[in-house]
Amino acid sequence: MSGVHARGVRRFHFARDVEEALSLLAAYEGRGALLAGGVDLLRSLRVDIEGLIDITRIGLSYTKEARGGLAIGGTTTLTSILESRAAREYGGGILADLLHRVAVPPLRNMATLGGALVSAHPWADIPTALVALGAEVRWQGEKEGRVPVEELYQGPFRGLFRQAVAIEVLLPPWDGAFAYEKVGRTGYDIALLNACCGVGVEGGRIAWARVAVGARPDRGERLPWAEEALIGQRPSQTLWQEVQDLVAKRIEVGDDRRASGAWRREVAGVLVERALARASGRAGM
Ligand SMILES: Cc1cc2nc3c(=O)[nH]c(=O)nc-3n(C[C@H](O)[C@H](O)[C@H](O)COP(=O)(O)OP(=O)(O)OC[C@H]3O[C@@H](n4cnc5c(N)ncnc54)[C@H](O)[C@@H]3O)c2cc1C
């Protein structure tokens, strides 16, 4: 593979199960790394990695219904999620919406959900959606745990995953629908800004709402004040436009070399308005 960096690598292992992956990782004392699709790791500038531990054969590639929601194994490729029937029906089709906007098909054939969860670039699409969807991750290291992705991203999660395997991502059931919006320089480019919104209605009024915006340029976060402005209201185009204005007024954004904060402020409202309109349409409002 041309352009591969991770140059210090001396040994390559195929772990047979989670326990073997963890014991190999421990044996390298910080100089080993788990390898899933390799889309990120093989391009990384890390020169400290001596051993690569391939985890794609440890039985964590699946997408299945679980407690009304979904459980997706850590090494499931983005393509196989897209091909799964359970994922197609989840959340009004949000996963197809999202994953068709991530990179290009050959990369989606390699990239895994666990790798995307752990890499979590600030501009990445998947973290924004996982936060909006209230996803949790089950992990196993010396201990085992289950943590909301939103909380994980508020702490130093990369340190955790240098010693633990992301076993599966759990997506809760939602009585309503979500939609994903992204804007990049081209259809295949990484996001200059992205947004994931979801709504559910009871008795003609919005019972719950989720609004998350990412690549601001920081990683995706929920906007609780925008969600509060929606709950209890009747769904309408006027309401989506009011929330658009609110987002443009209150969202915290910044400049980076790819886009200005002023541009992000304006466009964030537009993406939220579009995602809300599409999510509500899917939810049959
Ligand atoms: C050209 C290009 C375009 C891209 N475009 C987009 C885009 O449009 N939108 C977007 O959101 N992303 C995009 N990405 C990022 C891409 O989604 C991620 O790089 C990919 O999902 C990483 O998954 P992987 O399986 O290849 O991870 P790997 O490269 O194998 O691993 C990445 C990191 O995660 C760790 N890791 C992997 N799996 C696990 C696990 N189960 N448990 C613990 N640690 C683990 C590894 O040790 C490593 O540190 C792009 C990347 C490239 C190279």
Side-chain angles (χ1 to χ4, degrees), residues 34-41 43 55 74 101-103 107 110-112 114-116 118-119 121 123-126 161 164-166 182 189-190:
L34 301 176
L35 178 74
V39 171
D40 253 30
L41 192 59
R43 296 168 51 254
I55 54 169
R101 307 296 309 274
V102 176
L107 285 174
M110 296 167 67
T112 66
V118 174
S119 311
H121 301 284
W123 44 260
D125 300 297
I126 292 170
F161 289 115
V165 178
K182 164 179 180 174
D189 200 10
I190 59 175

Short mmCIF file of all heavy atoms in Angstrom, two decimals, residues 34-41 43 55 74 101-103 107 110-112 114-116 118-119 121 123-126 161 164-166 182 189-190, ligand 1:
data_model
loop_
_atom_site.label_atom_id
_atom_site.label_comp_id
_atom_site.label_asym_id
_atom_site.label_seq_id
_atom_site.Cartn_x
_atom_site.Cartn_y
_atom_site.Cartn_z
N LEU A 34 -4.27 -1.97 17.87
CA LEU A 34 -5.32 -2.76 17.23
C LEU A 34 -5.50 -2.22 15.82
O LEU A 34 -5.48 -1.01 15.59
CB LEU A 34 -6.64 -2.62 18.00
CG LEU A 34 -6.61 -3.05 19.47
CD1 LEU A 34 -7.96 -2.75 20.13
CD2 LEU A 34 -6.28 -4.55 19.58
N LEU A 35 -5.72 -3.13 14.90
CA LEU A 35 -5.94 -2.74 13.50
C LEU A 35 -7.29 -3.29 13.06
O LEU A 35 -7.54 -4.49 13.18
CB LEU A 35 -4.83 -3.34 12.63
CG LEU A 35 -4.94 -3.06 11.13
CD1 LEU A 35 -4.57 -1.61 10.83
CD2 LEU A 35 -4.02 -4.00 10.35
N ALA A 36 -8.14 -2.41 12.53
CA ALA A 36 -9.43 -2.87 11.99
C ALA A 36 -9.36 -2.70 10.47
O ALA A 36 -8.68 -3.48 9.80
CB ALA A 36 -10.57 -2.10 12.64
N GLY A 37 -10.00 -1.67 9.91
CA GLY A 37 -9.92 -1.47 8.46
C GLY A 37 -8.58 -0.91 8.01
O GLY A 37 -8.19 -1.04 6.85
N GLY A 38 -7.87 -0.26 8.92
CA GLY A 38 -6.56 0.31 8.61
C GLY A 38 -6.62 1.64 7.86
O GLY A 38 -5.59 2.23 7.56
N VAL A 39 -7.81 2.12 7.58
CA VAL A 39 -7.96 3.35 6.79
C VAL A 39 -7.27 4.53 7.48
O VAL A 39 -6.62 5.36 6.83
CB VAL A 39 -9.46 3.65 6.55
CG1 VAL A 39 -9.67 5.02 5.93
CG2 VAL A 39 -10.08 2.58 5.66
N ASP A 40 -7.36 4.59 8.79
CA ASP A 40 -6.71 5.66 9.54
C ASP A 40 -5.32 5.26 10.01
O ASP A 40 -4.37 6.01 9.86
CB ASP A 40 -7.54 5.97 10.79
CG ASP A 40 -8.27 7.26 10.66
OD1 ASP A 40 -8.61 7.62 9.52
OD2 ASP A 40 -8.48 7.91 11.69
N LEU A 41 -5.24 4.08 10.60
CA LEU A 41 -4.00 3.70 11.28
C LEU A 41 -2.83 3.61 10.31
O LEU A 41 -1.72 4.04 10.62
CB LEU A 41 -4.20 2.36 11.99
CG LEU A 41 -3.10 1.98 12.96
CD1 LEU A 41 -2.97 3.03 14.06
CD2 LEU A 41 -3.37 0.62 13.58
N ARG A 43 -2.24 5.26 7.78
CA ARG A 43 -1.82 6.58 7.31
C ARG A 43 -1.27 7.42 8.46
O ARG A 43 -0.83 8.54 8.26
CB ARG A 43 -3.01 7.34 6.70
CG ARG A 43 -3.58 6.70 5.45
CD ARG A 43 -4.91 7.33 5.08
NE ARG A 43 -4.86 8.78 5.01
CZ ARG A 43 -5.39 9.59 5.92
NH1 ARG A 43 -6.02 9.11 6.97
NH2 ARG A 43 -5.30 10.87 5.77
N ILE A 55 -7.92 -7.21 14.31
CA ILE A 55 -9.06 -7.71 15.09
C ILE A 55 -10.27 -8.02 14.21
O ILE A 55 -11.38 -8.18 14.70
CB ILE A 55 -9.47 -6.71 16.20
CG1 ILE A 55 -9.73 -5.32 15.62
CG2 ILE A 55 -8.43 -6.68 17.30
CD1 ILE A 55 -10.39 -4.36 16.60
N GLY A 74 -18.02 -4.03 16.65
CA GLY A 74 -16.96 -3.04 16.47
C GLY A 74 -16.23 -3.14 15.15
O GLY A 74 -15.74 -2.13 14.63
N ARG A 101 -22.75 9.18 2.93
CA ARG A 101 -22.00 10.44 2.88
C ARG A 101 -20.59 10.30 3.44
O ARG A 101 -19.87 11.30 3.52
CB ARG A 101 -22.75 11.54 3.66
CG ARG A 101 -24.20 11.75 3.29
CD ARG A 101 -24.40 12.24 1.87
NE ARG A 101 -23.59 13.39 1.53
CZ ARG A 101 -23.95 14.65 1.75
NH1 ARG A 101 -25.09 14.92 2.33
NH2 ARG A 101 -23.17 15.65 1.38
N VAL A 102 -20.22 9.10 3.88
CA VAL A 102 -18.88 8.90 4.45
C VAL A 102 -17.95 8.36 3.36
O VAL A 102 -18.16 7.27 2.83
CB VAL A 102 -18.90 7.92 5.64
CG1 VAL A 102 -17.49 7.65 6.14
CG2 VAL A 102 -19.77 8.48 6.76
N ALA A 103 -16.93 9.13 3.02
CA ALA A 103 -15.88 8.71 2.07
C ALA A 103 -16.47 8.14 0.78
O ALA A 103 -17.51 8.62 0.30
CB ALA A 103 -14.92 7.74 2.74
N LEU A 107 -13.38 2.76 0.29
CA LEU A 107 -12.97 3.00 1.68
C LEU A 107 -14.02 2.48 2.65
O LEU A 107 -13.69 1.96 3.71
CB LEU A 107 -12.74 4.50 1.92
CG LEU A 107 -11.45 5.06 1.34
CD1 LEU A 107 -11.40 6.57 1.51
CD2 LEU A 107 -10.24 4.42 2.00
N MET A 110 -13.59 -1.04 3.68
CA MET A 110 -12.53 -1.32 4.66
C MET A 110 -12.85 -0.73 6.03
O MET A 110 -12.66 -1.39 7.05
CB MET A 110 -11.21 -0.70 4.19
CG MET A 110 -10.65 -1.27 2.91
SD MET A 110 -9.33 -0.22 2.26
CE MET A 110 -8.06 -0.42 3.50
N ALA A 111 -13.30 0.51 6.05
CA ALA A 111 -13.48 1.24 7.32
C ALA A 111 -14.54 0.58 8.18
O ALA A 111 -15.58 0.14 7.68
CB ALA A 111 -13.88 2.68 7.02
N THR A 112 -14.27 0.51 9.47
CA THR A 112 -15.20 -0.13 10.41
C THR A 112 -15.85 0.90 11.33
O THR A 112 -15.31 2.01 11.53
CB THR A 112 -14.47 -1.16 11.28
OG1 THR A 112 -13.54 -0.45 12.12
CG2 THR A 112 -13.74 -2.20 10.43
N GLY A 114 -16.10 0.61 14.59
CA GLY A 114 -15.23 0.78 15.76
C GLY A 114 -14.09 1.73 15.45
O GLY A 114 -13.75 2.60 16.26
N GLY A 115 -13.50 1.59 14.26
CA GLY A 115 -12.40 2.48 13.88
C GLY A 115 -12.87 3.92 13.78
O GLY A 115 -12.18 4.85 14.24
N ALA A 116 -14.05 4.12 13.24
CA ALA A 116 -14.59 5.48 13.11
C ALA A 116 -14.90 6.07 14.49
O ALA A 116 -14.66 7.25 14.75
CB ALA A 116 -15.85 5.46 12.25
N VAL A 118 -13.37 5.36 17.28
CA VAL A 118 -12.13 5.65 18.01
C VAL A 118 -11.35 6.78 17.33
O VAL A 118 -10.83 7.66 18.01
CB VAL A 118 -11.26 4.37 18.12
CG1 VAL A 118 -9.90 4.69 18.75
CG2 VAL A 118 -11.99 3.32 18.95
N SER A 119 -11.30 6.80 16.00
CA SER A 119 -10.55 7.89 15.33
C SER A 119 -11.22 9.23 15.61
O SER A 119 -10.56 10.20 15.95
CB SER A 119 -10.51 7.71 13.82
OG SER A 119 -10.13 6.43 13.47
N HIS A 121 -12.33 11.97 14.17
CA HIS A 121 -11.79 13.25 13.74
C HIS A 121 -12.84 14.34 14.01
O HIS A 121 -14.04 14.06 13.93
CB HIS A 121 -11.49 13.23 12.24
CG HIS A 121 -10.52 12.16 11.87
ND1 HIS A 121 -9.17 12.28 12.10
CD2 HIS A 121 -10.70 10.94 11.29
CE1 HIS A 121 -8.57 11.18 11.68
NE2 HIS A 121 -9.46 10.36 11.19
N TRP A 123 -13.95 16.59 12.19
CA TRP A 123 -14.82 16.80 11.04
C TRP A 123 -15.64 15.56 10.69
O TRP A 123 -16.43 15.58 9.74
CB TRP A 123 -13.99 17.19 9.81
CG TRP A 123 -12.74 16.36 9.64
CD1 TRP A 123 -11.47 16.73 9.99
CD2 TRP A 123 -12.63 15.03 9.13
NE1 TRP A 123 -10.58 15.70 9.72
CE2 TRP A 123 -11.27 14.65 9.19
CE3 TRP A 123 -13.55 14.11 8.61
CZ2 TRP A 123 -10.81 13.41 8.78
CZ3 TRP A 123 -13.09 12.86 8.20
CH2 TRP A 123 -11.74 12.53 8.29
N ALA A 124 -15.44 14.48 11.43
CA ALA A 124 -16.04 13.20 11.02
C ALA A 124 -17.56 13.22 11.11
O ALA A 124 -18.15 13.93 11.94
CB ALA A 124 -15.47 12.08 11.86
N ASP A 125 -18.18 12.40 10.25
CA ASP A 125 -19.64 12.35 10.19
C ASP A 125 -20.21 11.43 11.28
O ASP A 125 -21.24 11.75 11.89
CB ASP A 125 -20.07 11.79 8.82
CG ASP A 125 -19.57 12.67 7.70
OD1 ASP A 125 -19.99 13.82 7.65
OD2 ASP A 125 -18.74 12.21 6.89
N ILE A 126 -19.57 10.27 11.45
CA ILE A 126 -20.17 9.24 12.30
C ILE A 126 -20.31 9.69 13.77
O ILE A 126 -21.37 9.49 14.37
CB ILE A 126 -19.39 7.91 12.14
CG1 ILE A 126 -19.67 7.40 10.71
CG2 ILE A 126 -19.80 6.88 13.18
CD1 ILE A 126 -18.81 6.22 10.28
N PHE A 161 -8.93 3.37 24.49
CA PHE A 161 -8.91 2.39 23.41
C PHE A 161 -7.50 1.98 22.98
O PHE A 161 -7.35 1.17 22.09
CB PHE A 161 -9.76 2.87 22.23
CG PHE A 161 -11.23 2.82 22.57
CD1 PHE A 161 -11.98 3.97 22.65
CD2 PHE A 161 -11.83 1.60 22.84
CE1 PHE A 161 -13.32 3.90 22.99
CE2 PHE A 161 -13.16 1.53 23.17
CZ PHE A 161 -13.91 2.68 23.26
N ALA A 164 -8.09 -1.17 25.23
CA ALA A 164 -9.39 -1.84 25.26
C ALA A 164 -9.92 -1.98 23.84
O ALA A 164 -9.52 -1.25 22.94
CB ALA A 164 -10.38 -1.03 26.10
N VAL A 165 -10.83 -2.94 23.68
CA VAL A 165 -11.47 -3.15 22.37
C VAL A 165 -12.89 -2.57 22.44
O VAL A 165 -13.61 -2.81 23.41
CB VAL A 165 -11.56 -4.66 22.04
CG1 VAL A 165 -12.26 -4.89 20.71
CG2 VAL A 165 -10.17 -5.29 22.02
N ALA A 166 -13.27 -1.81 21.44
CA ALA A 166 -14.67 -1.37 21.31
C ALA A 166 -15.43 -2.59 20.77
O ALA A 166 -15.24 -2.97 19.62
CB ALA A 166 -14.78 -0.19 20.36
N LYS A 182 -24.89 17.16 5.49
CA LYS A 182 -23.44 17.42 5.48
C LYS A 182 -23.14 18.38 4.34
O LYS A 182 -23.75 18.28 3.28
CB LYS A 182 -22.73 16.10 5.24
CG LYS A 182 -21.27 16.19 4.84
CD LYS A 182 -20.69 14.80 4.65
CE LYS A 182 -19.22 14.84 4.25
NZ LYS A 182 -18.62 13.50 4.20
N ASP A 189 -16.03 14.78 -0.28
CA ASP A 189 -15.03 15.34 0.63
C ASP A 189 -15.50 15.25 2.08
O ASP A 189 -16.67 15.02 2.35
CB ASP A 189 -14.77 16.81 0.25
CG ASP A 189 -13.44 17.31 0.79
OD1 ASP A 189 -12.65 16.48 1.28
OD2 ASP A 189 -13.21 18.52 0.73
N ILE A 190 -14.54 15.45 3.01
CA ILE A 190 -14.90 15.47 4.42
C ILE A 190 -15.73 16.74 4.70
O ILE A 190 -15.73 17.67 3.91
CB ILE A 190 -13.65 15.41 5.33
CG1 ILE A 190 -12.71 16.58 5.05
CG2 ILE A 190 -12.92 14.08 5.13
CD1 ILE A 190 -11.52 16.62 6.00
C1 LIG B 1 -9.62 9.45 2.27
C2 LIG B 1 -10.47 9.36 3.51
C3 LIG B 1 -11.73 9.93 3.49
C4 LIG B 1 -12.53 9.86 4.61
N1 LIG B 1 -13.76 10.44 4.57
C5 LIG B 1 -14.53 10.42 5.67
C6 LIG B 1 -15.79 11.04 5.65
O1 LIG B 1 -16.24 11.57 4.64
N2 LIG B 1 -16.50 11.04 6.80
C7 LIG B 1 -16.05 10.42 7.93
O2 LIG B 1 -16.74 10.44 8.95
N3 LIG B 1 -14.87 9.80 7.98
C8 LIG B 1 -14.11 9.79 6.86
N4 LIG B 1 -12.89 9.19 6.91
C9 LIG B 1 -12.45 8.55 8.16
C10 LIG B 1 -12.85 7.08 8.18
O3 LIG B 1 -14.23 6.96 8.44
C11 LIG B 1 -12.09 6.42 9.31
O4 LIG B 1 -10.73 6.56 8.99
C12 LIG B 1 -12.39 4.94 9.43
O5 LIG B 1 -13.72 4.73 9.76
C13 LIG B 1 -11.51 4.30 10.46
O6 LIG B 1 -11.89 2.95 10.58
P1 LIG B 1 -10.85 1.77 10.39
O7 LIG B 1 -11.59 0.50 10.64
O8 LIG B 1 -10.15 1.86 9.09
O9 LIG B 1 -9.86 2.08 11.60
P2 LIG B 1 -8.30 1.75 11.75
O10 LIG B 1 -7.50 2.65 10.86
O11 LIG B 1 -8.05 0.29 11.65
O12 LIG B 1 -8.09 2.20 13.26
C14 LIG B 1 -8.22 3.56 13.66
C15 LIG B 1 -7.92 3.67 15.15
O13 LIG B 1 -8.94 3.04 15.91
C16 LIG B 1 -8.41 1.97 16.68
N5 LIG B 1 -9.42 0.91 16.61
C17 LIG B 1 -10.01 0.42 15.47
N6 LIG B 1 -10.98 -0.43 15.80
C18 LIG B 1 -11.00 -0.52 17.15
C19 LIG B 1 -11.81 -1.24 18.10
N7 LIG B 1 -12.81 -2.05 17.72
N8 LIG B 1 -11.54 -1.09 19.41
C20 LIG B 1 -10.55 -0.25 19.83
N9 LIG B 1 -9.79 0.48 18.99
C21 LIG B 1 -10.01 0.34 17.67
C22 LIG B 1 -7.08 1.61 16.04
O14 LIG B 1 -6.16 1.04 16.96
C23 LIG B 1 -6.63 2.99 15.56
O15 LIG B 1 -6.06 3.71 16.62
C24 LIG B 1 -12.07 9.22 5.81
C25 LIG B 1 -10.79 8.63 5.81
C26 LIG B 1 -10.00 8.70 4.67
C27 LIG B 1 -8.65 8.06 4.71
#
